[in-house]
Amino acid sequence: MEETLNIDKKYVENSLKQKINVLKDNRFLMDEVFIPISKALKIDVDEVIEIFLKKLDFTSCYELHAYAEQARMGCLGRKVDIDLGLCWLCDFFGLIKKEEADLIRKKVVELHVLHKKPYEEALEEGRKLIIKLLREE
Amino acid sequence: MEETLNIDKKYVENSLKQKINVLKDNRFLMDEVFIPISKALKIDVDEVIEIFLKKLDFTSCYELHAYAEQARMGCLGRKVDIDLGLCWLCDFFGLIKKEEADLIRKKVVELHVLHKKPYEEALEEGRKLIIKLLREE
């Protein structure tokens, strides 16, 4: 009985170690998920990883990378909306059409994520497009 | 005929002046709409006002204040999502429930807009709530 309990305990410990390794060894997850979240919440990055480990099962940890790719594009798009004032110009004042805003947001995200342009430079491209539209050039 | 044209021209000029005054005299619109947009787009605030004037009719200019109140709350909420990492934690990784994220976002926006707490301090309140939830305290 005791032996079975020990085997169970060892299994849990090994499983936890595996989960920690899966998450810690992934540079993309560190750079794109854990570090940004630790900065946003102003808590230690190790605590962020612990929270993910506590909340996610093993399969979800393996799938995290795929989710993170989606999240990176999605959350960056929302940041672009704020940084370029698209939230105001498109959604609330209707000075830019929704389709135009979608294209501009996509362009900035792609320039940064796919073409590795620094965020500020990608943003500047989006800014130019918006100003052109507003000036009706 | 010429006189009629002159009257028309004068009418247009007066109408434009009225629109400019409506927009320029409104401190709320200046602080909450035109100045933030001019900063986001890195163009002169006078050009932002001109763009609004060009795109909006007289009635819309009068209604702008009401739209701006909505926009202020809406766009601020989206900024809170980014600044607190709620976009990641809730929408993509599901570590925070949607209802919880909605309450936290609302709390931060209200603290800042209604209770005039500086944005960083309001954000700090939201941050504490998120950490409490993640730590399951």
Side-chain angles (χ1 to χ4, degrees):
Chain A
M1 184 61 190
E2 203 186 329
E3 205 182 331
T4 318
L5 277 177
N6 277 340
I7 291 170
D8 278 357
K9 207 179 146 200
K10 208 169 167 60
Y11 176 79
V12 169
E13 275 171 11
N14 281 340
S15 166
L16 189 68
K17 269 188 206 155
Q18 263 186 292
K19 281 162 82 176
I20 290 176
N21 286 339
V22 169
L23 298 189
K24 278 213 158 179
D25 285 354
N26 191 317
R27 199 67 237 168
F28 177 81
L29 287 181
M30 279 300 275
D31 290 345
E32 298 296 331
V33 181
F34 305 134
I35 292 173
I37 290 176
S38 89
K39 279 186 188 163
L41 296 181
K42 297 187 179 172
I43 58 175
D44 197 87
V45 70
D46 282 342
E47 187 176 357
V48 175
I49 296 178
E50 268 175 42
I51 288 165
F52 271 85
L53 284 175
K54 199 173 62 187
K55 301 249 182 187
L56 297 181
D57 60 24
F58 198 43
T59 324
S60 303
C61 285
Y62 272 113
E63 286 170 349
L64 207 53
H65 193 116
Y67 281 121
E69 295 265 12
Q70 282 178 30
R72 188 190 190 195
M73 304 285 269
C75 297
L76 185 65
R78 297 194 206 170
K79 186 165 162 51
V80 171
D81 273 8
I82 297 292
D83 290 340
L84 289 183
L86 278 175
C87 176
W88 296 84
L89 294 168
C90 170
D91 300 352
F92 284 95
F93 298 125
L95 301 187
I96 300 263
K97 286 188 198 124
K98 197 187 166 300
E99 301 75 41
E100 292 165 342
D102 289 346
L103 283 176
I104 293 168
R105 183 188 312 110
K106 192 166 171 271
K107 172 108 186 162
V108 175
V109 170
E110 285 182 358
L111 278 175
H112 179 55
V113 175
L114 304 180
H115 302 283
K116 315 284 177 211
K117 221 181 175 72
Y119 181 63
E120 271 308 317
E121 286 177 29
L123 216 53
E124 192 52 42
E125 296 292 316
R127 195 173 277 127
K128 277 184 204 154
L129 291 171
I130 294 174
I131 294 171
K132 210 172 150 84
L133 282 171
L134 290 175
R135 285 180 183 157
E136 290 171 0
E137 282 170 352
Chain B
M1 184 64 189
E2 202 186 332
E3 206 182 329
T4 317
L5 278 178
N6 278 340
I7 290 170
D8 278 357
K9 205 178 147 202
K10 207 169 169 59
Y11 175 79
V12 170
E13 276 170 11
N14 281 340
S15 166
L16 189 68
K17 270 189 204 153
Q18 263 185 291
K19 281 162 80 175
I20 291 176
N21 287 338
V22 169
L23 297 189
K24 278 213 158 177
D25 286 354
N26 191 317
R27 200 64 238 169
F28 177 81
L29 287 181
M30 279 299 274
D31 290 345
E32 299 296 330
V33 181
F34 304 134
I35 292 174
I37 290 175
S38 89
K39 280 185 187 163
L41 296 180
K42 297 187 179 170
I43 59 174
D44 198 89
V45 70
D46 283 341
E47 186 176 357
V48 175
I49 296 177
E50 267 174 44
I51 288 166
F52 271 85
L53 284 174
K54 199 173 63 186
K55 299 251 181 185
L56 297 180
D57 60 24
F58 199 44
T59 322
S60 302
C61 285
Y62 271 113
E63 286 170 349
L64 207 52
H65 192 115
Y67 280 120
E69 296 265 13
Q70 282 178 29
R72 186 191 190 195
M73 304 284 271
C75 298
L76 185 65
R78 296 192 206 173
K79 187 167 162 47
V80 171
D81 273 8
I82 298 292
D83 290 340
L84 289 183
L86 279 175
C87 177
W88 296 83
L89 294 168
C90 171
D91 299 354
F92 284 94
F93 298 124
L95 301 188
I96 300 261
K97 288 189 196 122
K98 197 188 166 297
E99 301 75 43
E100 292 165 341
D102 289 346
L103 282 176
I104 293 168
R105 182 188 311 109
K106 193 167 171 268
K107 171 104 188 168
V108 175
V109 169
E110 284 182 358
L111 277 175
H112 180 55
V113 174
L114 304 180
H115 302 282
K116 315 284 176 212
K117 221 180 175 71
Y119 181 63
E120 271 308 317
E121 287 178 29
L123 216 52
E124 192 52 41
E125 296 291 317
R127 195 173 278 126
K128 278 184 204 154
L129 292 171
I130 293 174
I131 294 172
K132 211 173 149 82
L133 283 170
L134 290 175
R135 285 181 182 157
E136 291 171 358
E137 282 169 353

